[in-house]
Amino acid sequence: MQRKDFLKLGALAALAAGAPGTIASALAGRKQLPPEHPVIIVGTGYGASVAALRLAQKGVRVLMLEMGMEWPVTSRHDTFSKMMPPDHRSSWLKDGSIAPFGNIFSFKKYTGVLDRMEFDGLKIYAGRGVGGGSLVNGGMAVTPKRAYFEEIFPEIDSAEMYARYFPLANQTLKANLIAPAFFERSEWYRFSRVAQQQAHKSGYKTTFVPNVYDFNYMEQEDAGTVYRSALGGEVIYGNNAGKNSLDKTYLAAARKTGLVEILTLHEVADVAAEGNGYKLDVNCIDTSGAVVQTKVFTCKYLFVCAGSVGTASILLKAKATGGLPDLSEDVGKYWGNNGNVMTGRNFVRPGTGASQSSIPVMAIDDWNNPAHPVFAEIAPLPIGLEAWSTLYLAITRNPDRGTFIYDKASKALQLRLPENFTRQSVAATRNLIDKLNDGNGGTIAHLLFHNGIGDDICYHPLGGCVLGRASDMYGRVKGYRNLYVIDGSMIPGSTGVNPFVTITALAERCIAEIHKKDFA
Ligand code: FAE
């Protein structure tokens, strides 16, 4: 600031101190104005969608700000990129494909649907667009084991969760199970049946897992009467049919109320407490990622639901740069990867089939193993060739936690992980693969991952604004009124299963309480 500007401001301030009315309000500027929006929700993933629907059903007007695009699935079935070969729509502002392996495809940068965020030693994946992770995920809708849920959240009434909020979440998400007869006869699930038989031979139990993909639709795909999405190999770059992602469940219902507006390609850059609410600085981007406009929004109630990484980034930046200086020291902490390790087996005989559905329906459940607990999703490898391989996403019990830091110098979020962060997860995964290979032959999947172990891949980022730590047990952020975090950040690093049902059910519980008490 120039010296003369400083003096002018000083004189104005002195005047204002003794003079109410015009000068005082001019100085206070927009702080005197009521917030423009009653509620703003950042993001459109699981936590965000639950909050939007339940508030709108009670008559509250909601604005949602989403950095990604709208992906409307139509009868042309050409919304999302194909898996083979992927095009620019597959990836968030990258010049090539970003799948966990086999990235030989290049294209122009575009605001595509799957993002990969690189941290020291870890690649974290997330969905971008209206529906967040639901657009790109495998749709596995798994309710956590009650004993483990109680261990993670001893303060939460688990009887209420299992009687009320988990069933509500599963029902609204449209979770359904594959029909056993279809599973047994379908060539598309040969890979699961082979993995199941081999698991049993090695002494493991398997379990069917529900999914939000519509299995009635899949049976029609099998009959050849409709467009093939799951049976056409579509999944991590979006499904052009069949999948009940959030835009078709929670968000469709929220929009139907007429009270929910979603602005896309709106990236929240800064958040600050202002007056009796919050101010958001937002970058409007085009599909190349360039900022084409900046906007300011204000609101009374702010829900930051940008996913574990996005929420940590917004909150820690605001704490470091003065927008939200009173946030708790616990923001950014208790972060975990849900013990994720990708692995597989090569030279699996008999083969696993050239035709594989992209939708997983089964897992090896050895969670109660005292030495090496693991819940391993039997994942497809839908490349259209006999690969003689099985793929697993192992969810292990990793007790170590990381911490997000906002680095002011580089203006970037960093993730600090303890040394050997994945050692227990890797030991559990190796134990699983060794036992499967001992019983059935085959080798650990050197052809897919370095040393056969993809412990640098995280699909399930959890934590950073944990219930009972950085917020109360309902997502009210400590240090501020009417500021909430309801997304994967609430969970301290692990759920023992794929996490979106847990996030959805917890969000249902939080928003019921928040609406009742804070919107009275
Ligand atoms: P999330 O769904 O990530 O949504 C956050 C939203 O906020 C996104 O739409 C972002 O674009 C948006 N956003 C972020 N920052 C900003 C900003 N600054 N301004 C505006 N918008 C912003 O949040 N889980 C399962 O349970 N079953 C599965 O089968 C499964 N498979 C997966 C497969 C893949 C490839 C991936 C990546 C994940 C998978 N997951 C699965 C994890 C699951 O999708 C994830 O836990 C949830 O999506 C997290 O939900 P949140 O509400 O935390």
Side-chain angles (χ1 to χ4, degrees):
M1 196 187 286
Q2 299 283 316
R3 188 180 137 78
K4 64 177 185 328
D5 292 335
F6 180 74
L7 291 175
K8 258 197 231 162
L9 238 179
L12 202 58
L15 256 177
T22 16
I23 299 174
S25 355
L27 247 193
R30 54 185 309 141
K31 282 182 194 171
Q32 295 294 305
L33 298 173
E36 195 183 350
H37 295 274
V39 173
I40 291 183
I41 298 179
V42 184
T44 56
Y46 289 90
S49 302
V50 173
L53 173 62
R54 299 307 176 202
L55 290 175
Q57 282 177 329
K58 304 270 188 200
V60 180
R61 196 158 51 82
V62 172
L63 176 68
M64 304 182 85
L65 301 174
E66 169 56 54
M67 68 194 273
M69 294 170 42
E70 184 91 52
W71 296 92
V73 168
T74 69
S75 54
R76 292 197 310 279
H77 307 298
D78 59 357
T79 305
F80 294 107
S81 163
K82 298 281 164 213
M83 286 295 285
M84 284 294 168
D87 64 34
H88 59 285
R89 293 170 297 173
S90 65
S91 311
W92 180 258
L93 301 175
K94 307 281 186 302
D95 47 22
S97 62
I98 51 168
F101 48 81
N103 289 312
I104 52 170
F105 307 97
S106 39
F107 34 73
K108 68 169 189 201
K109 282 189 184 167
Y110 188 75
T111 46
V113 74
L114 179 69
D115 196 2
R116 185 179 72 189
M117 296 163 277
E118 312 270 344
F119 293 96
D120 256 1
L122 208 63
K123 303 179 186 92
I124 302 181
Y125 285 80
R128 299 270 172 251
V130 175
S134 77
L135 299 170
V136 299
N137 66 33
M140 290 177 75
V142 198
T143 302
K145 289 187 194 315
R146 185 156 171 177
Y148 191 56
F149 181 84
E150 287 168 351
E151 192 182 318
I152 312 167
F153 288 120
E155 309 88 335
I156 293 181
D157 177 359
S158 69
E160 183 185 42
M161 286 299 295
Y162 282 77
R164 185 164 176 196
Y165 293 119
F166 280 117
L168 177 63
N170 280 312
Q171 188 192 5
T172 318
L173 291 166
K174 298 197 174 163
N176 66 156
L177 268 170
I178 191 167
F182 177 56
F183 176 79
E184 291 303 336
R185 80 173 144 78
S186 173
E187 181 56 21
W188 301 98
Y189 280 104
R190 179 187 164 87
F191 78 96
S192 291
R193 291 196 302 273
V194 168
Q196 179 190 34
Q197 284 150 15
Q198 299 202 343
H200 292 174
K201 198 164 168 213
S202 290
Y204 285 114
K205 280 192 300 191
T206 55
T207 178
F208 280 103
V209 287
N211 202 291
V212 298
Y213 197 90
D214 180 347
F215 286 109
N216 286 328
Y217 183 85
M218 196 191 287
E219 290 202 31
Q220 294 172 54
E221 292 180 48
D222 180 48
T225 55
V226 295
Y227 173 84
R228 284 185 163 168
S229 181
L231 305 192
E234 295 178 351
V235 61
I236 59 170
Y237 304 140
N239 282 90
N240 284 301
K243 190 195 210 183
N244 283 309
S245 42
L246 289 167
D247 50 319
K248 303 195 193 67
T249 56
Y250 272 95
L251 288 172
R255 281 169 150 166
K256 235 175 155 180
T257 64
L259 290 173
V260 175
E261 184 187 6
I262 303 178
L263 297 178
T264 55
L265 296 174
H266 278 57
E267 182 172 13
V268 174
D270 287 292
V271 168
E274 186 177 287
N276 64 344
Y278 296 92
K279 174 169 89 75
L280 291 85
D281 291 304
V282 174
N283 290 334
C284 304
I285 55 176
D286 65 16
T287 55
S288 76
V291 178
V292 289
Q293 198 188 345
T294 56
K295 292 186 187 171
V296 176
F297 294 87
T298 56
C299 60
K300 179 170 178 198
Y301 298 90
L302 177 61
F303 290 77
V304 183
C305 308
S308 169
V309 179
T311 292
S313 174
I314 290 170
L315 293 185
L316 288 170
K317 184 178 178 194
K319 185 171 163 69
T321 55
L324 298 172
D326 297 332
L327 288 173
S328 145
E329 287 302 312
D330 281 337
V331 172
K333 291 188 182 162
Y334 311 107
W335 185 88
N337 64 348
N338 206 20
N340 280 184
V341 180
M342 260 196 204
T343 186
R345 296 165 51 228
N346 297 140
F347 308 106
V348 172
R349 290 179 190 281
T352 46
S355 305
Q356 299 195 9
S357 168
S358 63
I359 294 299
V361 294
M362 185 164 274
I364 295 173
D365 186 354
D366 197 31
W367 193 253
N368 293 331
N369 180 330
H372 295 301
V374 64
F375 181 86
E377 161 190 337
I378 296 170
L381 197 56
I383 55 173
L385 297 170
E386 175 56 78
W388 306 101
S389 297
T390 52
L391 192 62
Y392 308 90
L393 173 59
I395 294 169
T396 61
R397 198 168 171 148
N398 180 1
D400 289 335
R401 294 290 170 262
T403 301
F404 283 118
I405 310 276
Y406 180 76
D407 180 48
K408 267 186 168 173
S410 62
K411 296 188 177 156
L413 191 71
Q414 294 177 354
L415 178 58
R416 304 259 162 90
L417 295 173
E419 214 168 311
N420 282 324
F421 174 62
T422 59
R423 77 189 180 287
Q424 293 206 26
S425 300
V426 170
T429 307
R430 279 196 190 285
N431 178 66
L432 170 79
I433 299 296
D434 287 350
K435 253 178 93 174
L436 289 169
N437 288 341
D438 287 350
N440 303 279
T443 63
I444 196 161
H446 286 280
L447 302 176
L448 298 174
F449 306 102
H450 180 63
N451 291 329
I453 295 280
D455 62 333
D456 58 341
I457 298 163
C458 173
Y459 275 5
H460 302 162
L462 295 172
C465 193
V466 165
L467 295 179
R469 305 272 190 172
S471 73
D472 75 357
M473 290 310 294
Y474 294 94
R476 297 182 182 101
V477 176
K478 290 183 183 169
Y480 291 89
R481 277 194 68 203
N482 303 337
L483 177 65
Y484 311 93
V485 167
I486 299 184
D487 63 9
S489 318
M490 296 182 289
I491 299 171
S494 165
T495 57
V497 292
N498 313 59
F500 73 61
V501 169
T502 311
I503 298 170
T504 307
L506 284 171
E508 289 279 12
R509 174 183 172 275
C510 291
I511 200 67
E513 172 76 8
I514 289 167
H515 181 266
K516 192 161 81 189
K517 300 270 168 68
D518 302 8
F519 282 73

